[in-house]
Structure formats: structure tokens, C-alpha cells
Amino acid sequence: MVSSMARTQDCISEIENSGMFNSIPLPTNALFGTDGIRGKVGDLLNAPLALQVGFWAGIVLRNYATDLGPIILGQDSRNSSDMLAMALSAGLTAAGLEVWYLGLCPTPCVAYLASITNAIGGIMISASHNPPEDNGIKIFDAQGGKLSKALQGEIEAGLRGQLSPDLNINNCGRHYSRTELIKTYSQSIQTPLASGLTLQGMKIVLDLAWGAAVGLAPAVFTEMGAEVICLHNQADGDRINVNCGSTHLDILQAAVVANQADMGFAFDGDADRVLAVDNTGRSVNGDYILYLWGRHLQQKQQLPDNLIVSTVMANLGFERAWEQIGGKLIRTAVGDQYVQAEMQKTGGMLGGEQSGHILCSHYAMTGDGLLTALHIAALVKEANLSLGEMVDQSFQTYPQILRNVRVLDRERRLGWESCQPVQQAIAKAEVAMGDNGRVLVRASGTEPVIRVMVEAANAELVHHWTNELVSKVEEHLT
């Protein structure tokens, strides 16, 4: 029988001979963006990169672990997710770690299971709301939070050949299928609502975006007593997010009206975000979700300092209405990791983004679309009002336009702030609108676009300055 030490040496020899530690071509800019590593499959993202990400993530996470537990690994429905999952698992097991593979599941399921087990971290394979040809790798720490910038930097240093791996590994790791753990997550998001409250008598439409929540979301809402109507409810890697889900609400809006439903919810590809549609077919974005949930927590004295943390994208109408009822709003950079960091810094219990990433620390450490949808449905049931009536009683948004300008040149896109004509146009717009409006121009951290957002009390000003700024970006950066 071959000894354990011999097997370990054979494993290490195979790793060394494979060239796993050889650096691979990488972009000069930082590999990790606002939500992990994301890009088009076959360009930035491929099996060799995923193999090394798995290995170096494994080395870094085990170096900071007090006890050597497993890594939780999940994926969405994209055609490339299987390939990336297997490559990541190979790298993780080469680092001597045990992999608990969940298969198809929402991102918050990975984060939750990492937080309640003895896992040293979790990895989700998904490009969230991006089109089918993209994919991404999101890494979580042992508490279920997004991996810190410092640890991301260590992983990237390894990928760039700037670190020497510690090969004192006791044994090669093992890969196990642990799909039964998804039920644990499912029960965890229902439990806070189980004290006599059901969704009995409610008709709810769910747009699953052909993605990660296709099996779980309908089951959870049905178990809570709702009558459920499903759209785009098969796992389909060719159609994930295509003209559906949280970035395309029109089909859901029509379905809610046609079925005379109480509300609808649209998830993105990995179900870490959600947008709602009220009973009249009107869209209900993250600003309204934060206001309604925040007011509920405020009334129950469960919102410290009446604080909500959101991003620079939050509408001025939301901010001023929240302040009028004694609330406080702190804005961060765009990205739920920045919202989460500010919540941890301030002790905030509720935060999120207009796009539908909502974090409530009473229930979870990360954005969770399914959990958020359940709580909004429960708020409506408890209030004995329609969602439309609750929205009408909340606030009026300022007119806001967000335009995306496609800029394929990565260097030019990320360095847009050095473009003087664009900066001069922004300054001119800000002076013209004064305190009654805002301008936000930024490079997306997840897509090859520059986002131009203008909002003001006057709709004509919004249209005028949006067109002016988009024209300048197109003229000087595309």
C-alpha cells in the first residue's frame, strides 16, 4: 500500500510538473473588480486561469484559517460554469483543501453556508446580471462576506507569479457533491418569517431569468403559502439574463397585470439581487425596497440610528423623504462590497443599491434577492395594503436617466477621469443644476461601459445634460 507521505509527494510532483505555478498572461489592471473576477469566457476567463485562481485562493484562505475546513463551491446556469467549477475545484484540491460542491444555487446560498459551517471560505461562479457569454468568480471569507481587498491582492500576487507557494501540504484535497446543503439555506431564509405569518392568499409572479434560482425560489414561495406563477424558470445557459430578469422588467410587468397578481419579483442570474413590480405593473427598485423595509425596521426600533447605507446612485427623492421621517442616509461607491464595508464600519443593519442588491444584517451577511423578496411580500401581507399603495405613500423619485456608453478599450475606460473635455462638461452641468440635481459618471466594474447618470427636479434639465455628457464621452473616449 502506498503511504500517505508518498501520495502527498506524488501530488506535489504532479502540481509542479503541470506548470501550475507558471504565470499566465493577465491584464495590467487589477484582476478583481467590484464583484470578483469577471469577463468574457475565452478572453479573460478560461480553465487555466480558474485552475490557478482555485489554487491561490486555496493557499491564501488556508494560510489565514485557524482550522482547516472545506471550501463551499456553487455556480449559476451558464454554459461555461461547469468548466470553471471543475477547474476551480482542481486548483483548490491541489492546495490540499476539501471542496463541497453545491452545483446550481444562488450566490447567497454559498455565502450563508460558508458562514454556518466550518468552511474557510466560499466561491461562486457567476457573472450576475451579465449576458450568457460572460462569467465570473466571486470569493467569500469564512464569515460569508466578500473577500477583503488585502486577501484579493494576495491571490492576485500569486497569479502574477509574485509569490512562492507553500508546498507543505499534508495531502491532496477531495471533491464532494453536497447538494443537500441547499435545503439548509432554504430553511434559513424562511425561518424568520415562520412565526405564524404565511403568504396564503397572495398571487406572486417570479421571473427567474433562466438562472440560479429556477428551482429554489418557486419552492420557497410555495412553501410559504403563496400561489406562484413562474417565468423563465428553467436552467438555460444560452438565455440567462437575456431580455428577462432584473435588468428587463417588461415581461414581468405584463404578467403581473395579466394575472391580476399581488406583485412580482425579478431576480438576476445568480439571485443576489431582486427588483419588484407592484400590483399595477409599476417597477419598484432598490430605493423603494430600502425605504419600505427601513421604515418597517424603524417602527420596530430595529434600525440603529435610523441609518440606511446606499450608494451614490440612490435617488435624491429617496434620500430627502427618508430624512423627513428622521432617517439618515450614507452613500458609498457603487458595489455591494462597499455598502457592506460601510455597514460593518457604522453598525448599520440595512443597506443596498438601487439595482436591487439589498443587505439586511439581521438576516444575512450578503445581498440576497430571495430573502429580500420574501420580506417585502411579508411586509405587504402584514400591512394589509397593496404594494402599490405602500409605494404611493413612500416618496416621489426625482427624474433620473442612466445611460451606458460602450468603451471597449479597457485602459481608456478605466482612465476616463483624466479626460479634460468630459470633466469640463461635468463641472458645467453641476453648476447649472446646483443643489437641485446630481451628476455621476463612472466606469463600470462589471461591464465594458462608462455609466452616465443625471438626476434633477426638472426633467428637461435631466434630458439636456444627459445628452450633453453622453455626447462628450462618445466623442473623446470611444
Side-chain angles (χ1 to χ4, degrees), residues 16 18 38 61 85 102 107 110 125 128 145 201 219 232 296 305 315 324 345 357 373 381 411 417 438:
E16 290 177 317
S18 73
R38 190 177 297 187
L61 288 170
L102 306 178
T107 289
V110 172
I125 302 158
S128 192
H232 314 118
H296 176 78
D305 298 325
N315 192 276
Q324 285 174 2
K345 174 184 172 184
H357 275 122
K381 183 69 179 290
E411 302 282 348
E417 290 176 283
R438 290 194 309 134

Side-chain angles (χ1 to χ4, degrees), residues 327-409:
K328 176 183 177 183
L329 183 73
I330 294 178
R331 295 178 183 266
T332 73
V334 173
D336 63 325
Q337 65 175 318
Y338 300 112
V339 173
Q340 184 183 57
E342 187 65 26
M343 289 171 66
Q344 291 171 340
K345 174 184 172 184
T346 60
M349 299 302 291
L350 182 66
E353 299 186 275
Q354 191 181 82
S355 60
H357 275 122
I358 308 295
L359 299 91
C360 187
S361 299
H362 289 296
Y363 307 106
M365 279 292 295
T366 190
D368 190 329
L370 185 47
L371 182 150
T372 299
L374 282 173
H375 278 268
I376 294 303
L379 290 182
V380 174
K381 183 69 179 290
E382 189 176 340
N384 200 28
L385 296 169
S386 70
L387 181 55
E389 289 171 327
M390 294 179 72
V391 169
D392 287 339
Q393 294 172 15
S394 59
F395 65 90
Q396 289 290 321
T397 58
Y398 278 28
Q400 183 185 85
I401 294 178
L402 174 64
R403 295 265 296 274
N404 294 329
V405 182
R406 197 165 181 84
V407 181
L408 296 178
D409 188 311

Side-chain angles (χ1 to χ4, degrees), residues 291 295 298 306 308 316-329 392-396 398:
Y291 183 92
R295 187 171 61 183
Q298 181 190 48
N306 292 329
I308 292 177
L316 270 174
F318 161 42
E319 180 178 19
R320 292 181 177 174
W322 181 242
E323 290 172 346
Q324 285 174 2
I325 61 171
K328 176 183 177 183
L329 183 73
D392 287 339
Q393 294 172 15
S394 59
F395 65 90
Q396 289 290 321
Y398 278 28

Side-chain angles (χ1 to χ4, degrees), residues 301-319:
Q301 298 185 329
Q302 294 178 352
L303 195 65
D305 298 325
N306 292 329
L307 172 65
I308 292 177
V309 178
S310 191
T311 75
V312 290
M313 295 298 294
N315 192 276
L316 270 174
F318 161 42
E319 180 178 19

Side-chain angles (χ1 to χ4, degrees), residues 175-443:
H175 174 105
Y176 297 96
S177 176
R178 297 297 308 272
T179 56
E180 79 281 0
L181 293 174
I182 297 175
K183 185 63 176 177
T184 303
Y185 162 73
S186 172
Q187 292 170 342
S188 77
I189 60 176
Q190 296 178 63
T191 298
L193 302 175
S195 57
L197 177 68
T198 74
L199 302 181
Q200 195 76 33
M202 301 188 82
K203 185 187 293 186
I204 298 175
V205 185
L206 303 178
D207 184 343
L208 290 314
W210 310 112
V214 293
L216 193 56
V220 167
F221 272 92
T222 300
E223 289 168 12
M224 289 296 298
E227 178 186 345
V228 178
I229 299 166
C230 293
L231 308 173
H232 314 118
N233 60 328
Q234 299 293 322
D236 191 331
D238 288 320
R239 293 190 285 180
I240 184 172
N241 296 320
V242 177
N243 298 320
C244 63
S246 63
T247 54
H248 297 84
L249 294 179
D250 52 328
I251 297 177
L252 176 62
Q253 290 172 304
V256 168
V257 172
N259 289 280
Q260 296 183 317
D262 293 285
M263 68 196 73
F265 294 105
F267 303 93
D268 64 344
D270 67 336
D272 65 348
R273 71 166 70 178
V274 66
L275 293 179
V277 169
D278 72 14
N279 51 297
T280 70
R282 178 175 48 181
S283 65
V284 180
N285 67 21
D287 288 348
Y288 283 103
I289 291 171
L290 286 171
Y291 183 92
L292 295 176
W293 203 351
R295 187 171 61 183
H296 176 78
L297 293 172
Q298 181 190 48
Q299 290 168 348
K300 295 199 170 197
Q301 298 185 329
Q302 294 178 352
L303 195 65
D305 298 325
N306 292 329
L307 172 65
I308 292 177
V309 178
S310 191
T311 75
V312 290
M313 295 298 294
N315 192 276
L316 270 174
F318 161 42
E319 180 178 19
R320 292 181 177 174
W322 181 242
E323 290 172 346
Q324 285 174 2
I325 61 171
K328 176 183 177 183
L329 183 73
I330 294 178
R331 295 178 183 266
T332 73
V334 173
D336 63 325
Q337 65 175 318
Y338 300 112
V339 173
Q340 184 183 57
E342 187 65 26
M343 289 171 66
Q344 291 171 340
K345 174 184 172 184
T346 60
M349 299 302 291
L350 182 66
E353 299 186 275
Q354 191 181 82
S355 60
H357 275 122
I358 308 295
L359 299 91
C360 187
S361 299
H362 289 296
Y363 307 106
M365 279 292 295
T366 190
D368 190 329
L370 185 47
L371 182 150
T372 299
L374 282 173
H375 278 268
I376 294 303
L379 290 182
V380 174
K381 183 69 179 290
E382 189 176 340
N384 200 28
L385 296 169
S386 70
L387 181 55
E389 289 171 327
M390 294 179 72
V391 169
D392 287 339
Q393 294 172 15
S394 59
F395 65 90
Q396 289 290 321
T397 58
Y398 278 28
Q400 183 185 85
I401 294 178
L402 174 64
R403 295 265 296 274
N404 294 329
V405 182
R406 197 165 181 84
V407 181
L408 296 178
D409 188 311
R410 181 182 172 91
E411 302 282 348
R412 182 175 290 183
R413 183 173 73 251
L414 296 181
W416 74 269
E417 290 176 283
S418 63
C419 180
Q420 287 304 307
V422 172
Q423 291 288 3
Q424 290 166 1
I426 292 172
K428 188 176 179 181
E430 289 175 336
V431 169
M433 291 186 293
D435 292 336
N436 292 315
R438 290 194 309 134
V439 173
L440 178 65
V441 179
R442 67 181 185 89

Side-chain angles (χ1 to χ4, degrees), residues 7 55 146 148 184 418:
R7 287 198 302 270
F55 178 78
K146 296 288 180 70
S148 69
T184 303
S418 63

